[in-house]
Amino acid sequence: MTSGAALALLVTLAAAPAASRAQAGQSAEERFRSLPPEKQEELRRRYRELQQLPADERQRIQDNVARLNRMTPDEQARVDENYRRFREMPPEQRQKVLQQWHRFRSLSPQEREQLRESLRRVMNADPGERRQILENMERWERMTPEQREEARQRFREQRQERRQEQKEQRRERKQERRERHLEQRERLRRN
């Protein structure tokens, strides 16, 4: 089963508790039996698919479902809404989202946190600045790997130039302070 199918399976299994939250107090079997026959068959098929996955993949899915069930109703509603929007995307967009998700998951925890922080900065930026950031991101996506490397190199050079300028400014301020201090000492000595 592909990762995309596993994700779909996870969301389907997670959606079953979301759909049945209104039926609190019922056992899982009672909730299952109250589903329409076609939904029961779909869940049976999904269950068989789940059983065919490697044990570690099944455990990961079960952990994700458990995490979903621990969410507040508002958080669950956001997950349900995100999944609905995901399912409404054209297949090529869904594939791109899944690829981006896999790239994100392959990052180290520190890199993921840096990415989250960058996203928070974008989302908290004023609308004009946010638009500029998003335009820059789109431009970056359209660049070839060579163009990106050239842009990185220009950025590194500019950053180095700024650091050098700041270093020179600090040196100048330090020299100015030293000169003022010497002038003050000379005035005090004359008085």
Side-chain angles (χ1 to χ4, degrees), residues 155 157-167:
F155 178 76
E157 291 169 0
Q158 290 170 350
R159 185 176 53 201
Q160 184 62 30
E161 289 171 9
R162 281 193 306 273
R163 286 179 179 162
Q164 192 63 33
E165 288 172 8
Q166 292 169 345
K167 187 176 179 180

Side-chain angles (χ1 to χ4, degrees), residues 39-53:
K39 187 67 173 173
Q40 288 180 15
E41 186 51 41
E42 178 186 347
L43 286 176
R44 283 186 189 104
R45 183 179 56 77
R46 296 281 187 180
Y47 180 77
R48 287 188 299 272
E49 289 175 7
L50 178 66
Q51 294 307 307
Q52 293 174 359
L53 292 174

